[in-house]
């Protein structure tokens, strides 16, 4: 007879089954909950090591000290405070067992106030725009995360804690409104708003029929929805003439502060967000979007039109002057901010007389006829300089006054040519120099190295020597006959490096660790009547070659073609180590410190290396230049790369350079890095070298010699810069400032 179960038994079984399922769910949530989702009701124990890694213990040490499964309890928190010696300072509610998220992070804030004295942990509200591969893209940038990626939902806001651009904790979700500041609104069609932010185009529903197109705005989000849009429609149009990290100077307007969340949009040929690299001083008409006295966005409505270059005029290699006086033969218009003043012709304009104005604005000096030059004068008004075309700008800094010459590019090149090479070099060599000077200037205008001082370049050998010698009919003709011509490689205008004299062979891109794809036009070539099969990367072969004068080379009759010197570092160890440290500060990737000559373990400083023991050439390339030099000391070793670093460091040991014509010259830097070094046995080193300058690109004296051989300027340029072509700078397709991605 079959036994029949009662209803009561069935209910009991169902209840037990449900209870078992509930217990399993609780256990899974308790031990694995962090994998299932963010919770306001609890904090998972495995969140704690990341949050407390800023304290005495590391993240791994906290993981060992605390259980990593389940949720955080008040007992856990009590133990944490005891380990941190904060138990008597931060009271706890002992009546409760489990701690919710808000209560824990209130305690965490107190822990930070006691222990995070460097404010290494930051608290911030973020809006998630994108999530992938353990990182979040937010309105403020990209952050790595330590918690589960599933915790975060697109377009939701989170109150987080950050340590070194990593989210280490989540305190709250959707508690605060977060804004996308300075987004570019493209359109609002039938309640669908299309906007651009951080390089990505978004389309979201919006509860308004308001016209929202081609305008910058802040978009406020609350729980995944747009609840407010604040348009920014006040603008200033003008040219950017100087820029720091906190402010921009607009021509004819003055200084304006920069919003920390400023965005830059190019609105021609489509709409895209670009980086600061897209800005060029002077040569762009820019729309600045302004709100609350700050520039919150920049609109680039057209490409750069190359017209003027801004040249910082140095005073004996010093950019700052105690005072400065200028004069012109015609009336001069002074502009500062939105004010204009006119001075009579011949008036001596002295910077210190405008000190009150210069505290808040630059002062621009423009000749009334637009063509008359300016001259520097002494205290008595006597002219002490060549004529400067264009306008002048005065600025004042704590260190002194600066002078910037704003001049059209062709006039600038006319000032460079006679300052770089003699007018007797021959017309084709001068024309080659003009193309190089113009191409090089263009690249420097894109780099904006002196943007904080309102300039692209200075007038020294740091860039190109400018206006130190008077122009001649020959140098002016060379510029006029090549007007607008620049050199291009693979469609891009190139950086046309040049130098004084080769040693018979030019260097290549390897000497500076340059990228072959971008600088493939810098290939080493023989500067001689025919190729020489010698392997210059071999030490013995190089020594044999540099020890003799190669008469087949075009420059073999020049005094710097071959030279020699002796390096003596005895008693100069402190100077040598200081120079090494200085060069590492300028180019850290090119100089390495090692604990010993095995070079297996690096160290951070060379200050205690002691005296020099040996100098070794580690590697030389086929152009003959040294790629790596090793200096061995009593307590360490130094690896040096890049030709200028070697010249400066070894220069500590020289006094005189003996030249090929029998003369000698005092120098503090080696003429070139095309050298052979031989230890003499008495603690000194014999150096045989050749050439003058970095040796990369065009040899100016080599160009003169090729001109004498019947080469025209195009052939000279192709000789030194391989696979390049002449292009026109002032054609529209060549005037675009290269845009950086946002």
């Amino acid at each position: 007879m079959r036994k029949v179960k009662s209803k009561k038994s069935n209910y009991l079984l169902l209840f037990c089954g449900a209870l078992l399922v509930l217990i399993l769910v609780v256990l899974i949530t308790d031990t694995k909950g962090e994998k299932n989702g963010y919770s306001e009701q609890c904090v998972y124990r495995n969140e704690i090591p990341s949050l407390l890694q800023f304290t005495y213990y590391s993240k791994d040490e906290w993981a060992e000290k605390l259980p990593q499964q389940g949720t955080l309890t008040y007992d856990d928190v009590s133990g944490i405070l005891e380990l941190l010696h904060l138990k008597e300072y931060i009271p706890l509610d002992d009546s409760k067992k489990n701690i919710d998220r808000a209560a824990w992070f209130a305690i965490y804030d107190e822990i930070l106030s006691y222990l995070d004295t460097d404010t290494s942990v930051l608290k911030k509200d973020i809006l998630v725009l994108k999530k992938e591969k353990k990182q979040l893209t937010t309105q403020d940038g990209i952050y790595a995360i330590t918690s589960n990626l599933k915790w975060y939902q697109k377009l939701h806001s989170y109150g987080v804690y950050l340590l070194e651009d990593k989210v280490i904790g989540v305190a709250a979700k959707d508690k605060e409104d977060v804004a996308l500041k300075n987004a570019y609104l493209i359109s609002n069609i039938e309640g669908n708003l299309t906007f651009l932010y951080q390089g990505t185009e978004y389309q979201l529903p919006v509860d308004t029929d308001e016209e929202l197109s081609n305008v910058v705005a802040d978009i406020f989000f609350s729980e995944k929805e747009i609840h407010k849009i604040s348009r920014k429609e006040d603008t200033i149009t003008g040219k950017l003439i100087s820029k720091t990290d906190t402010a921009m100077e607009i021509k004819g307007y003055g200084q304006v502060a920069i919003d920390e969340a400023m965005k830059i949009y190019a609105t021609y040929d489509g709409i895209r967000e670009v980086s600061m690299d897209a800005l060029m001083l002077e040569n762009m008409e820019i729309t600045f979007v302004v709100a609350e006295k700050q520039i919150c966005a920049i609109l680039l409505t057209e490409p750069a039109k190359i017209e003027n270059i801004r040249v910082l005029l140095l005073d004996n290699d010093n950019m700052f002057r105690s005072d400065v006086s200028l004069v012109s033969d015609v009336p001069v218009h002074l502009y500062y901010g939105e004010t204009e003043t006119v001075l009579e012709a011949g008036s001596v304009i002295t910077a210190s007389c405008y000190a009150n104005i210069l505290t808040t604005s630059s002062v621009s000096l423009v000749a009334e006829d637009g063509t008359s030059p300016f001259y520097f004068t002494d205290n008595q008004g006597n002219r002490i300089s060549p004529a400067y075309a264009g306008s002048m700008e005065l600025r004042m800094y704590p260190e002194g006054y600066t002078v910037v010459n704003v001049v059209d590019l062709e006039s600038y090149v006319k000032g460079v040519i006679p300052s770089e090479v003699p007018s007797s070099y021959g017309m084709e060599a001068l024309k080659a120099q003009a193309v190089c000077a113009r191409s090089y200037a263009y690249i420097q205008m894109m780099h904006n190295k002196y943007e904080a001082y309102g300039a692209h370049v200075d007038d020294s050998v740091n860039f190109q020597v400018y206006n130190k010698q008077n122009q001649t009919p020959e140098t002016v003709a060379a510029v006029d006959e090549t007007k607008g011509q620049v050199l291009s490689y693979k469609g891009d205008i190139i950086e046309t490096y040049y130098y004084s004299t080769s040693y018979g062979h030019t260097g290549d891109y390897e000497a500076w660790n340059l990228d072959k794809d971008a600088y493939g036009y810098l290939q080493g070539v023989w500067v001689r009547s025919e190729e020489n099969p010698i392997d210059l990367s071999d030490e013995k072969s190089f020594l044999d070659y540099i020890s003799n004068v190669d008469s087949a080379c075009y420059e073999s009759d020049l005094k710097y073609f071959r030279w020699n010197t002796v390096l003596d570092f005895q008693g100069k160890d402190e100077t040598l180590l200081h120079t090494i440290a200085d060069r590492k500060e300028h180019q850290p990737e090119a100089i390495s410190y090692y604990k010993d000559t095995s070079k297996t373990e690096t160290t951070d400083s060379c200050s205690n290396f002691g005296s020099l023991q040996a100098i070794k050439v580690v590697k030389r390339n086929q152009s003959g230049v040294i790629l790596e030099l090793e200096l061995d000391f009593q307590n360490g070793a130094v690896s040096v790369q890049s030709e200028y670093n070697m010249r400066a460091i070894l220069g500590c040991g020289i006094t005189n350079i003996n030249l090929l014509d029998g003369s000698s010259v005092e120098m503090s830097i080696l003429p070139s890095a095309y050298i052979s070094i031989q230890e003499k046995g008495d603690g000194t080193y014999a150096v045989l070298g050749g050439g003058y300058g970095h040796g990369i690109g065009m040899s100016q004296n080599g160009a003169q010699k090729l001109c004498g051989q019947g080469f025209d300027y195009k052939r000279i340029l192709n000789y030194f810069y391989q696979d390049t072509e002449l292009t026109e700078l002032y054609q529209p397709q060549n005037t675009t400032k290269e845009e950086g991605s946002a």
Side-chain angles (χ1 to χ4, degrees):
M1 184 180 196
R2 186 164 60 90
K3 193 171 183 180
V4 180
K5 294 181 180 179
S6 69
K7 288 185 178 180
K8 187 175 181 180
S9 297
N10 288 334
Y11 288 142
L12 184 62
L13 285 171
L14 286 171
F15 175 76
C16 291
L19 183 61
L20 180 62
V21 170
L22 180 60
I23 291 169
L24 287 172
V25 168
V26 170
L27 285 173
I28 291 170
T29 303
D30 191 47
T31 61
K32 303 286 188 179
E34 67 276 7
K35 294 184 178 179
N36 293 335
Y38 165 87
S39 174
E40 298 279 358
Q41 283 69 48
C42 67
V43 176
Y44 302 108
R45 284 169 169 156
N46 67 0
E47 294 180 63
I48 304 305
S50 292
L51 286 164
L52 296 178
Q53 62 185 300
F54 77 93
T55 63
Y56 324 123
Y57 305 111
S58 68
K59 181 178 177 180
D60 291 340
E61 288 172 327
W62 277 112
E64 292 175 0
K65 292 178 183 298
L66 296 174
Q68 291 300 286
Q69 292 187 333
T71 57
L72 193 68
T73 67
Y74 272 94
D75 284 343
D76 294 329
V77 177
S78 178
I80 290 170
L81 295 180
E82 189 167 345
L83 286 169
L84 295 175
H85 308 292
L86 292 176
K87 197 168 182 180
E88 61 182 294
Y89 300 103
I90 302 177
L92 293 178
D93 185 352
D94 296 333
S95 65
K96 297 181 179 179
K97 179 182 178 183
N98 293 317
I99 185 168
D100 63 27
R101 190 163 293 271
W104 158 247
F105 277 101
I107 294 169
Y108 183 65
D109 284 339
E110 291 193 69
I111 293 173
L112 290 175
S113 69
Y114 282 109
L115 301 182
D116 188 21
T117 55
D118 296 331
T119 320
S120 57
V121 177
L122 302 177
K123 192 174 182 179
K124 180 173 284 192
D125 293 317
I126 62 170
L127 182 73
V128 175
L129 301 176
K130 189 190 301 182
K131 59 177 187 175
E132 57 183 354
K133 295 180 181 179
K134 279 287 183 181
Q135 68 178 27
L136 303 174
T137 300
T138 76
Q139 85 283 4
D140 284 332
I142 296 175
Y143 301 112
I145 57 174
T146 56
S147 52
N148 196 311
L149 193 63
K150 292 179 181 179
W151 281 28
Y152 304 92
Q153 294 176 283
K154 188 176 177 180
L155 297 179
H156 282 267
S157 65
Y158 298 84
V160 300
Y161 291 84
L162 303 171
L163 178 65
E164 296 178 351
D165 292 330
K166 181 179 289 187
V167 177
I168 59 171
V170 182
K173 178 182 177 182
D174 291 330
K175 296 295 185 184
E176 300 290 338
D177 292 350
V178 179
L180 298 186
K181 294 196 67 179
N182 306 319
Y184 188 88
L185 310 188
I186 299 173
S187 65
N188 177 23
I189 301 174
E190 297 180 354
N192 286 310
L193 178 68
T194 302
F195 63 91
L196 184 65
Y197 190 80
Q198 289 186 352
T200 300
E201 191 173 296
Y202 297 89
Q203 190 174 80
L204 295 172
V206 61
D207 187 19
T208 180
D209 294 327
E210 186 181 2
E211 173 65 25
L212 298 171
S213 61
N214 302 318
V215 66
V216 173
D218 292 344
I219 305 174
F220 294 86
F221 284 80
S222 179
E223 297 187 13
K224 203 178 179 178
E225 293 184 353
I226 298 173
H227 76 93
K228 179 183 176 184
I229 295 174
S230 179
R231 297 194 298 184
K232 301 180 179 182
E233 298 179 296
D234 292 339
T235 61
I236 302 169
T237 300
K239 293 181 177 181
L240 176 67
I241 60 173
S242 76
K243 179 176 77 69
T244 66
D245 292 337
T246 58
M248 292 184 172
E249 184 180 4
I250 304 170
K251 196 168 191 174
Y253 190 86
Q255 293 268 355
V256 184
I258 297 173
D259 182 352
E260 289 183 354
M262 184 187 75
K263 301 288 189 295
I264 306 174
Y265 300 102
T267 62
Y268 59 91
D269 298 333
I271 300 169
R272 58 210 177 277
E273 188 173 347
V274 297
S275 73
M276 283 282 195
D277 292 339
L279 301 180
M280 181 186 284
L281 299 186
E282 183 70 30
N283 294 292
M284 306 180 90
E285 196 71 18
I286 296 172
T287 299
F288 300 86
V289 181
V290 180
E292 297 179 354
K293 298 182 179 180
Q294 292 186 320
I295 298 171
C296 53
I298 286 177
L299 306 181
L300 305 180
T301 58
E302 61 182 12
K305 294 179 180 178
I306 305 302
E307 296 175 346
N308 297 331
I309 186 168
R310 304 175 69 86
V311 188
L312 180 63
L313 305 180
L314 304 186
D315 181 23
N316 294 322
D317 294 330
N318 189 343
M319 63 188 296
F320 300 107
R321 303 163 183 261
S322 58
D323 206 349
V324 60
S325 296
L326 296 161
V327 70
S328 180
D329 293 328
V330 299
V332 174
H333 292 242
L334 269 62
Y335 299 93
Y336 41 95
E338 298 179 274
T339 302
E340 178 183 357
T341 302
V342 182
L343 301 180
E344 294 180 358
S347 299
V348 176
I349 305 162
T350 301
S352 57
C353 295
Y354 298 89
N356 289 338
I357 295 169
L358 289 167
T359 57
T360 58
S361 172
S362 64
V363 174
S364 179
L365 284 59
V366 180
E368 188 169 77
D369 61 6
T371 58
S372 293
F374 287 89
Y375 301 86
F376 285 94
T377 74
D378 60 19
N379 294 333
Q380 288 73 45
N382 301 309
R383 299 179 182 188
I384 56 174
S385 75
Y388 284 87
S391 62
M392 294 290 200
E393 280 181 2
L394 303 177
R395 288 180 175 80
M396 186 173 70
Y397 300 90
E399 301 90 340
Y401 299 98
T402 62
V403 184
V404 171
N405 181 205
V406 185
V407 61
D408 73 272
L409 184 56
E410 295 302 308
S411 294
Y412 168 76
V413 177
K414 288 176 182 176
V416 167
I417 304 307
S419 300
E420 284 284 355
V421 292
S423 59
S424 60
Y425 262 33
M427 182 54 67
E428 297 306 306
L430 294 175
K431 288 161 72 173
Q433 182 70 53
V435 173
C436 287
R438 190 179 296 111
S439 304
Y440 185 85
Y442 171 81
I443 295 295
Q444 305 314 312
M445 292 167 74
M446 291 204 304
H447 291 168
N448 288 331
K449 182 176 180 180
Y450 278 125
E451 63 186 6
Y453 302 98
H456 299 113
V457 297
D458 66 40
D459 60 348
S460 76
V461 292
N462 294 331
F463 295 89
Q464 300 182 110
V465 182
Y466 166 66
N467 214 36
K468 303 302 183 186
Q469 299 292 331
N470 291 322
Q471 300 174 21
T472 69
E474 292 83 5
T475 60
V476 171
V479 177
D480 288 340
E481 291 178 24
T482 61
K483 182 179 180 180
Q485 292 183 2
V486 289
L487 268 186
S488 295
Y489 175 70
K490 294 182 178 180
D492 294 323
I493 298 171
I494 65 170
E495 202 154 6
T496 44
Y497 299 108
Y498 56 85
Y499 59 98
S500 171
T501 308
S502 83
Y503 81 107
H505 200 287
T506 71
D508 60 22
Y509 59 89
E510 278 192 323
W512 286 336
N513 296 316
L514 299 175
D515 177 62
K516 183 178 180 180
D517 288 340
Y519 293 91
Y521 59 91
L522 295 174
Q523 300 286 342
V525 296
W526 285 101
V527 191
R528 71 196 303 267
S529 55
E530 58 185 16
E531 291 284 321
N532 190 329
I534 188 174
D535 180 9
L536 295 171
S537 66
D538 177 73
E539 281 303 307
K540 184 179 183 307
S541 298
F542 182 83
L543 176 60
D544 290 343
Y545 183 73
I546 203 71
S547 299
N548 297 285
V549 176
D550 183 355
S551 59
C553 292
Y554 295 124
E555 297 164 275
S556 60
D557 61 335
L558 301 179
K559 62 183 180 180
Y560 277 100
F561 184 71
R562 291 289 180 270
W563 47 264
N564 66 79
T565 190
V566 173
L567 303 180
D568 185 356
F569 296 100
Q570 296 173 86
K572 300 178 181 177
D573 294 312
E574 186 176 339
T575 301
L576 176 61
L577 292 171
H578 175 79
T579 303
I580 291 171
D582 178 69
R583 292 312 308 162
K584 184 171 178 63
E585 185 177 340
H586 282 84
Q587 201 175 2
E589 72 282 358
I591 295 177
S592 300
Y593 302 147
Y594 297 93
K595 291 187 175 181
D596 54 48
T597 55
S598 68
K599 297 198 295 186
T600 56
E601 189 175 357
T602 59
T603 184
D604 294 331
S605 173
C606 67
S607 60
N608 63 345
F609 275 13
S611 61
L612 182 68
Q613 303 295 299
I615 302 175
K616 303 173 185 175
V617 175
V618 177
K619 186 178 181 182
R620 190 188 298 274
N621 82 346
Q622 69 260 18
S623 295
V625 71
I626 299 174
L627 296 181
E628 183 181 356
L629 189 71
E630 180 182 329
L631 285 76
D632 294 339
F633 294 84
Q634 285 175 310
N635 305 313
V638 177
S639 171
V640 182
Q641 297 178 5
S642 190
E643 55 82 30
Y644 185 82
N645 293 329
M646 299 173 197
R647 293 164 62 195
I649 290 168
L650 295 181
C652 296
I654 64 175
T655 51
N656 291 321
I657 302 291
N658 304 310
L659 305 178
L660 186 59
D661 64 356
S663 64
S664 65
V665 59
E666 290 186 9
M667 299 185 75
S668 59
I669 182 173
L670 287 179
S672 82
Y674 298 86
I675 56 174
S676 174
I677 307 171
Q678 303 294 316
E679 189 171 357
K680 294 181 68 176
D682 59 355
T684 64
Y685 301 84
V687 175
L688 298 176
Y692 190 13
H694 51 67
I696 300 165
M698 185 179 75
S699 163
Q700 293 168 305
N701 282 315
Q704 182 210 13
K705 297 294 185 179
L706 291 177
C707 177
Q709 295 291 317
F711 284 53
D712 66 13
Y713 78 101
K714 296 178 182 179
R715 191 176 169 196
I716 292 172
L717 292 169
N718 285 325
Y719 190 96
F720 290 107
Y721 308 102
Q722 285 74 52
D723 302 319
T724 58
E725 61 180 356
L726 283 173
T727 54
E728 293 294 330
L729 177 61
Y730 304 127
Q731 290 181 356
Q733 62 266 31
N734 289 326
T735 59
T736 304
K737 170 81 164 70
E738 184 179 343
E739 294 172 3
S741 60

